[in-house]
Amino acid sequence: MGYNGLGTAVFVLNDQGINILLNIFFGPVVNAARAVSFQISNALSNFTNNFYTAVRPQMTKSYAKGDKEYLMSLFYKSSKFAFFLFWALCVPIALCIDQILALWLKQVPTYTNIFTIWIFGYALINVLNNPIWTIALAVGKLRNYMLIGSAVFLMVFPLSYISLKLGHSPVSVFVILFGVRLCYLFVVLRILKGYIDYRIRDYLKKVIFPILQVAVLSLLINFVLRSVIPDTLALMFVFILLSLVVTGACVWGLGLSAEERHSLLSLVKQKMVRL
């Protein structure tokens, strides 16, 4: 409880500290833009949170039983699948963010669009951190995880202050948030290696590389589609549907192994038979 409380305190310090810094340097309008951006991101994050609700007990149970092979399989697959789910939702919204904000708000605070995109990036890193945290809780050894991880994440506040003090735009705060969280991910991956014997090379091969392949190709195709489709309300919804199809095809072709595609097809067939 104590170590978990430390991590919570660091998170609150960064969250509220950034609010204070933005208010001091730029005023409440920029704070309002930040609040709207996080509201959009949190709404999308609920989808992946529901996904992890089903996965967490299985990971904890497999560790308790000593079934390392199944634990690692869940670790790699849940990381990858949750990222793909969140990515598929983020891409069309990010590419249509100006239109969506104009529909939602009468007056859109300055920087809301760019804040939202960087917060999406931050949230995608958090998606990858969720299964790592689940395993750490299952192991029950939180000292190194929280002390070292919190020390890394705590750098967000001082780095943000230095950046704003040097006259940089408020966007720099979210770039720093994204960069520090990315560093945090690899730090806790290394700490996790001390809890369960696994190879970080396997994580890169089974999670990071498929993610990068899908992200690069799907973003490129969606960007081209967005540039050729006119900016009308009806065609925006058409683009969102096309984006989901394109991202899904990239996930199917590049993000899933042959075994995973076979398992998914079998699951779909079972569901259809029950219907």
Side-chain angles (χ1 to χ4, degrees):
M1 289 176 61
Y3 288 124
N4 201 7
L6 173 63
T8 302
V10 170
F11 178 84
V12 171
L13 175 62
N14 279 332
D15 186 59
Q16 297 305 316
I18 288 175
N19 272 341
I20 293 171
L21 289 177
L22 291 176
N23 194 55
I24 291 173
F25 284 93
F26 300 101
V29 174
V30 172
N31 254 338
R34 177 186 181 275
V36 171
S37 301
F38 268 104
Q39 189 174 352
I40 297 172
S41 178
N42 290 337
L44 297 185
S45 296
N46 288 333
F47 289 94
T48 55
N49 290 336
N50 292 334
F51 172 81
Y52 276 123
T53 299
V55 175
R56 286 192 190 101
Q58 297 181 53
M59 295 181 70
T60 304
K61 182 179 179 181
S62 61
Y63 175 79
K65 291 172 59 178
D67 190 352
K68 180 186 173 183
E69 182 178 352
Y70 185 55
L71 173 64
M72 299 314 297
S73 175
L74 285 175
F75 175 41
Y76 297 142
K77 290 180 180 179
S78 63
S79 300
K80 189 168 61 172
F81 293 166
F83 183 94
F84 289 151
L85 175 61
F86 195 67
W87 176 259
L89 298 172
C90 283
V91 170
I93 292 177
L95 292 177
C96 298
I97 189 63
D98 290 328
Q99 284 182 294
I100 292 173
L101 289 173
L103 283 173
W104 182 25
L105 304 171
K106 292 183 179 179
Q107 293 184 340
V108 181
T110 308
Y111 294 111
T112 304
N113 53 356
I114 191 66
F115 283 2
T116 301
I117 293 171
W118 278 107
I119 291 171
F120 279 172
Y122 169 75
L124 285 165
I125 301 299
N126 280 340
V127 165
L128 295 177
N129 183 65
N130 284 339
I132 302 173
W133 175 238
T134 299
I135 294 177
L137 287 176
V139 174
K141 299 178 181 178
L142 298 182
R143 186 186 66 178
N144 290 341
Y145 190 104
M146 297 309 303
L147 289 179
I148 300 174
S150 296
V152 173
F153 194 45
L154 188 60
M155 295 304 296
V156 171
F157 181 75
L159 289 176
S160 297
Y161 175 78
I162 293 171
S163 177
L164 296 179
K165 193 68 176 177
L166 291 174
H168 296 152
S169 80
V171 179
S172 64
V173 170
F174 298 94
V175 176
I176 290 170
L177 183 65
F178 172 81
V180 171
R181 198 60 174 177
L182 184 61
C183 293
Y184 174 90
L185 174 67
F186 286 99
V187 167
V188 295
L189 278 172
R190 184 64 184 85
I191 295 171
L192 187 67
K193 185 173 173 60
Y195 297 159
I196 55 174
D197 187 21
Y198 80 104
R199 295 191 302 175
I200 295 180
R201 181 185 302 175
D202 289 339
Y203 182 84
L204 295 175
K205 179 181 178 181
K206 296 180 180 181
V207 179
I208 300 300
F209 290 161
I211 281 174
L212 289 177
Q213 288 178 317
V214 170
V216 171
L217 182 59
S218 62
L219 185 59
L220 179 62
I221 296 175
N222 279 302
F223 185 80
V224 172
L225 283 175
R226 186 71 184 116
S227 63
V228 299
I229 294 178
D231 289 332
T232 64
L233 180 60
L235 291 179
M236 181 187 74
F237 290 107
V238 171
F239 166 74
I240 291 174
L241 292 175
L242 287 175
S243 175
L244 293 174
V245 172
V246 166
T247 304
C250 291
V251 169
W252 182 264
L254 297 175
L256 303 182
S257 65
E259 177 189 355
E260 290 166 346
R261 286 193 289 268
H262 177 74
S263 299
L264 186 59
L265 284 175
S266 299
L267 179 63
V268 172
K269 289 179 181 178
Q270 291 176 7
K271 296 293 183 181
M272 292 180 66
V273 169
R274 290 178 183 177
L275 292 175

